[in-house]
Amino acid sequence: MQSLNTSPVTSGAAARITISVDAMGGDKGPAVVVAGLVDSIRQRPDLDILLHGDQALLQPLLEREPGLKGRVTLRHAPGVVTMEDKPAQVMRHGQDTSMWATIDSVRDGAAAAAVSCGNTGALMAVSMIRLRKLPGINRPAIACLWPSRNPGEFNVMLDVGADVKADPSDLLQYAVMGSAYAANGLSIARPRVGLLNVGTEEHKGRAELKEANELLAREADRGGFQHMGFVEGSDIPGASVDVIVTDGFTGNVALKTGEGTARLVAERLKESFTSGLLAKIGALLALPALKRFQKRIDPRRANGGVFLGLRGTVVKSHGGSDATGIAAAIGLAYQLALSGLTEGIAARLASIAAAGQDAPLMAPGDSAGAGIKGGSTE
Amino acid sequence: MQSLNTSPVTSGAAARITISVDAMGGDKGPAVVVAGLVDSIRQRPDLDILLHGDQALLQPLLEREPGLKGRVTLRHAPGVVTMEDKPAQVMRHGQDTSMWATIDSVRDGAAAAAVSCGNTGALMAVSMIRLRKLPGINRPAIACLWPSRNPGEFNVMLDVGADVKADPSDLLQYAVMGSAYAANGLSIARPRVGLLNVGTEEHKGRAELKEANELLAREADRGGFQHMGFVEGSDIPGASVDVIVTDGFTGNVALKTGEGTARLVAERLKESFTSGLLAKIGALLALPALKRFQKRIDPRRANGGVFLGLRGTVVKSHGGSDATGIAAAIGLAYQLALSGLTEGIAARLASIAAAGQDAPLMAPGDSAGAGIKGGSTE
């Protein structure tokens, strides 16, 4: 495990955390990324930034912000990955892009984690080939934080879009990785994990989900989580579990459905409050309460899909992120690097793999199973 | 097609619509169902009800409501299907239940459509064996109305839970059935149909979805809908399509995720408005606006999953429905019966099947394709 170059990068007597940030590729341009840097650096005195992108564009933006002096190192990268670029193209010809350089800083050990608001497919492809998968991982996953009724106000859900398929052994790996994320990101020592299905009864749903449910029950102790069985869509924002596990197709649909529904409700509310004089006066009196409400349901607070299962932490910020969203994504990358997320995942996977060597849990020829066993010998 | 006993049941000179209602099996008991009858009958002078359930329980409830006199016929059924009963049990031993009798009234032609708030799986099983599938239908589906930004304020989504699987020919049938529902339920002559996926680009998603997308493009004109290609979860409450087509696993997760998210947002809003004196005064001033808002996002307005693809219309009301929810479900059944939903679906399916005889669109041995061709000879 010592070979994983993912431990927080420290320099000098006081430990400092360096985060690698892609300045290009977001819908709102590099000025918004620089504004996000200002917010995140002000709050964290031990944070440094490696910023990748077009020097001619970025240098003047950085010089205008005195707070960034001595904290941001600019690395010129001439190429930009656009939202239209196909992942395969970027994998072959993307070496000169800011996205590639952002990931390579984590690979080289110059930074502890990476943040980009560029093209998700390309970012996952570049992360896979440059960072590579953790020992034993079959499919990396993208995890998101979902506003919930739990004390920490968020649940972890994965996969929300790395891969449209997941077999039972992938779902077990998602449970393990999601638990490590909840442990490091939300400080829940032994998270409760639910498997997303169309009902909570054991006979419901697809056959592969029943198999996955049994596998999760068997491996929960070794994986460091509590097995809660099946959950439904209504449990994603609920308080009955901390981590929701599903395939990337279902997870992506659920995430976008939830976002779309919350947006519609907020629109309707705004329409109501501007529908007449009394309503407007009422809204004015309730303004501080409404602002608190807005802040609690603000999707930017939970900005940042985290790529799990790689040799390093990558946070994908929303393509349309503003400065607040980018600062939240950098804050998340900082917290996950500081708490050693990658090491936490590797340790949990190793625990399952060690048990797998005594009594094989995976079917022979199962690539995930073979990978897990191979991983423990590294 | 004359053999379909699904046309509105008429009696006397003025056409009257009879709806068959299951008084038992809801979480809140038969008193709530009777209260729902009162609301729905008051609004519709041409509506009659056939009510099925325990006579000793129901007779006194009906006698207390003078508005129901001469409009409700009580049919005694001693048995009740509970939420815990397995569909297979009910299919074998459920002949004496109110649910069975409710469906049989549609089968016999005594009622034009059925409403029940009982166990969904059992209701679908009883509907399948008693009403049988429409000619050519492989998998019946459950469709719901989803609050949206479209002028009619609702979109149609299916399947939301009849079957966890759907192959491309099933998805085409869902598109056809969903279009008939939007035409009859929302008065949209040629509805725009979108296929739910993880992105709108043609290369994204699962292989079977690409195949389904091509099939929908080819059959759109004959099926009476506009093919809009792929949509994402965020489009479900949007204005870009009228009908969203997906498999019952994904649809069920999306539906429950949307409901759960809306509920969380409403809770947070309520907390904000009770958080201080100014906020409370503000809420009081804005009360009429807040009530309009609450009404617009009230899930009871859209209560009623409709079973599509059977020889008769069945509306599944939410298990926890109150009187308002039950009245909405009865109103929906009434409207769909009046507008001839079953005939509309059959006509659209026949149009596709007729074309299929000239140039087979389905793979040989595909049961759905074979069914469609067989159906057109009836």
Side-chain angles (χ1 to χ4, degrees):
Chain A
M1 291 299 165
Q2 274 65 26
S3 68
L4 295 175
N5 50 16
T6 52
S7 53
V9 177
T10 59
S11 65
R16 301 192 62 77
I17 301 278
T18 302
I19 303 295
S20 175
V21 176
D22 180 3
M24 319 300 282
D27 301 343
K28 300 195 172 164
V32 158
V33 177
V34 171
L37 293 186
V38 175
D39 284 359
S40 43
I41 274 186
R42 193 185 300 131
Q43 294 163 37
R44 297 174 191 84
D46 58 342
L47 168 65
D48 292 324
I49 301 286
L50 265 179
L51 189 67
H52 303 268
D54 186 322
Q55 185 154 17
L57 264 173
L58 292 169
Q59 193 76 53
L61 291 171
L62 292 175
E63 280 165 6
R64 247 176 269 156
E65 297 292 348
L68 300 182
K69 211 173 148 70
R71 307 282 295 279
V72 178
T73 308
L74 181 57
R75 296 265 175 96
H76 177 63
V80 177
V81 176
T82 69
M83 289 296 173
E84 289 70 40
D85 285 337
K86 297 268 191 309
Q89 282 176 326
V90 179
M91 277 167 77
R92 276 196 301 272
H93 309 295
Q95 290 85 346
D96 74 337
T97 61
S98 59
M99 182 186 280
W100 191 287
T102 300
I103 298 301
D104 264 10
S105 289
V106 176
R107 175 189 163 105
D108 301 343
V115 173
S116 172
C117 37
N119 179 328
T120 308
L123 186 61
M124 180 53 96
V126 171
S127 300
M128 291 260 277
I129 55 165
R130 300 306 290 166
L131 297 179
R132 289 184 299 133
K133 296 186 281 187
L134 274 173
I137 287 293
N138 183 32
R139 297 181 210 264
I142 306 178
C144 75
L145 292 174
W146 195 293
S148 83
R149 292 186 186 85
N150 271 316
E153 298 218 341
F154 289 105
N155 290 340
V156 170
M157 179 155 104
L158 74 166
D159 174 26
V160 295
D163 204 314
V164 294
K165 274 191 236 170
D167 61 26
S169 60
D170 297 324
L171 293 169
L172 171 60
Q173 298 191 340
Y174 296 174
V176 170
M177 299 194 296
S179 302
Y181 184 12
N184 291 29
L186 301 172
S187 306
I188 302 165
R190 214 165 138 259
R192 296 162 300 164
V193 173
L195 191 57
L196 192 58
N197 199 351
V198 294
T200 54
E201 302 90 345
E202 289 201 356
H203 65 276
K204 283 210 170 172
R206 292 172 171 156
E208 62 265 34
L209 281 180
K210 286 166 213 163
E211 199 188 317
N213 196 36
E214 288 161 20
L215 190 60
L216 262 67
R218 228 159 45 218
E219 296 297 313
D221 281 349
R222 278 188 288 267
F225 62 88
Q226 299 176 58
H227 172 250
M228 306 299 287
F230 291 133
V231 293
E232 301 182 80
S234 49
D235 296 310
I236 302 176
S240 59
V241 295
D242 307 299
V243 177
I244 297 98
V245 166
T246 188
D247 66 89
F249 184 90
T250 310
N252 188 272
V253 167
L255 175 64
K256 289 176 180 165
T257 302
E259 285 175 349
T261 304
R263 220 178 299 129
L264 180 70
V265 172
E267 275 176 32
R268 294 276 191 256
L269 183 65
K270 205 173 169 184
E271 286 166 21
S272 302
F273 274 122
T274 50
S275 62
L277 188 61
L278 274 184
K280 280 181 194 163
I281 296 171
L284 209 63
L285 287 175
L287 200 61
L290 280 173
K291 289 221 156 159
R292 271 197 307 278
F293 163 72
Q294 197 171 33
K295 199 175 168 188
R296 284 184 88 184
I297 65 160
D298 187 350
R300 296 176 305 177
R301 280 177 72 211
N303 183 38
V306 179
F307 293 1
L308 299 176
L310 301 169
R311 294 170 183 258
T313 296
V314 178
V315 176
K316 162 70 176 83
S317 179
H318 198 284
S321 297
D322 59 8
T324 306
I326 285 164
I330 294 174
L332 180 61
Y334 167 88
Q335 189 190 348
L336 295 177
L338 194 64
S339 61
L341 174 64
T342 309
E343 296 75 4
I345 293 174
R348 283 170 192 251
L349 286 173
S351 162
I352 284 188
Q357 285 185 319
D358 302 332
L361 292 159
M362 314 282 180
D366 178 325
S367 67
I372 284 182
K373 279 177 234 148
S376 68
T377 63
E378 287 202 358
Chain B
M1 289 301 164
Q2 272 66 24
S3 68
L4 294 175
N5 49 16
T6 51
S7 53
V9 176
T10 59
S11 65
R16 302 192 62 77
I17 301 278
T18 302
I19 303 294
S20 174
V21 176
D22 180 4
M24 320 298 283
D27 301 344
K28 300 195 171 163
V32 158
V33 176
V34 172
L37 293 187
V38 175
D39 284 359
S40 42
I41 274 187
R42 192 186 301 131
Q43 293 165 37
R44 297 174 191 85
D46 58 342
L47 169 65
D48 292 324
I49 300 286
L50 265 180
L51 190 67
H52 303 267
D54 186 323
Q55 185 155 18
L57 262 174
L58 292 168
Q59 192 76 52
L61 291 171
L62 292 176
E63 280 164 7
R64 245 177 270 156
E65 298 292 349
L68 299 182
K69 211 173 149 72
R71 307 283 295 279
V72 177
T73 308
L74 182 58
R75 296 263 174 97
H76 178 63
V80 177
V81 176
T82 69
M83 291 295 174
E84 288 69 41
D85 286 336
K86 296 268 192 309
Q89 283 177 325
V90 178
M91 277 166 76
R92 275 196 302 273
H93 310 294
Q95 289 86 345
D96 74 337
T97 62
S98 59
M99 183 186 280
W100 192 287
T102 300
I103 298 301
D104 264 9
S105 289
V106 176
R107 176 190 163 104
D108 302 342
V115 173
S116 172
C117 38
N119 180 328
T120 308
L123 186 61
M124 179 54 96
V126 171
S127 301
M128 291 259 277
I129 54 165
R130 300 307 290 165
L131 296 179
R132 290 184 300 134
K133 296 186 281 187
L134 275 173
I137 288 293
N138 183 33
R139 297 181 210 265
I142 305 178
C144 74
L145 292 175
W146 194 294
S148 83
R149 292 186 186 85
N150 271 317
E153 299 217 342
F154 289 104
N155 290 340
V156 169
M157 180 155 103
L158 75 167
D159 175 25
V160 296
D163 203 316
V164 294
K165 275 191 235 169
D167 61 27
S169 60
D170 297 325
L171 293 169
L172 171 60
Q173 297 191 338
Y174 296 174
V176 170
M177 298 194 296
S179 303
Y181 184 13
N184 291 29
L186 301 171
S187 305
I188 302 165
R190 212 165 139 259
R192 297 162 299 163
V193 173
L195 190 58
L196 192 58
N197 199 351
V198 295
T200 53
E201 301 90 345
E202 290 203 353
H203 65 278
K204 283 211 171 171
R206 292 172 172 157
E208 63 265 35
L209 281 180
K210 286 167 213 161
E211 199 188 316
N213 196 36
E214 288 162 20
L215 190 59
L216 261 66
R218 227 157 47 215
E219 296 298 313
D221 280 348
R222 276 188 289 267
F225 61 88
Q226 299 177 58
H227 172 251
M228 306 299 287
F230 291 134
V231 294
E232 301 182 78
S234 49
D235 296 309
I236 302 177
S240 59
V241 294
D242 307 298
V243 177
I244 297 98
V245 165
T246 188
D247 66 90
F249 185 90
T250 310
N252 188 271
V253 167
L255 175 64
K256 289 177 179 164
T257 302
E259 285 175 351
T261 304
R263 220 178 298 129
L264 181 70
V265 172
E267 274 177 34
R268 295 275 191 260
L269 183 65
K270 204 173 170 186
E271 285 165 23
S272 303
F273 274 120
T274 51
S275 62
L277 187 62
L278 272 185
K280 281 181 194 165
I281 297 172
L284 209 63
L285 286 175
L287 200 61
L290 279 174
K291 289 222 155 158
R292 269 197 307 279
F293 163 71
Q294 199 171 30
K295 200 175 166 190
R296 284 186 88 183
I297 65 159
D298 187 350
R300 296 175 305 176
R301 280 177 71 210
N303 183 39
V306 179
F307 293 1
L308 299 176
L310 301 169
R311 292 169 184 259
T313 295
V314 179
V315 176
K316 163 69 175 83
S317 179
H318 199 284
S321 297
D322 60 8
T324 306
I326 285 164
I330 294 174
L332 181 60
Y334 168 88
Q335 190 189 348
L336 295 176
L338 194 64
S339 62
L341 174 64
T342 308
E343 295 76 4
I345 293 174
R348 282 169 192 252
L349 286 172
S351 162
I352 284 188
Q357 285 185 318
D358 303 331
L361 292 159
M362 315 282 179
D366 179 323
S367 66
I372 284 182
K373 281 177 232 145
S376 67
T377 63
E378 286 201 355

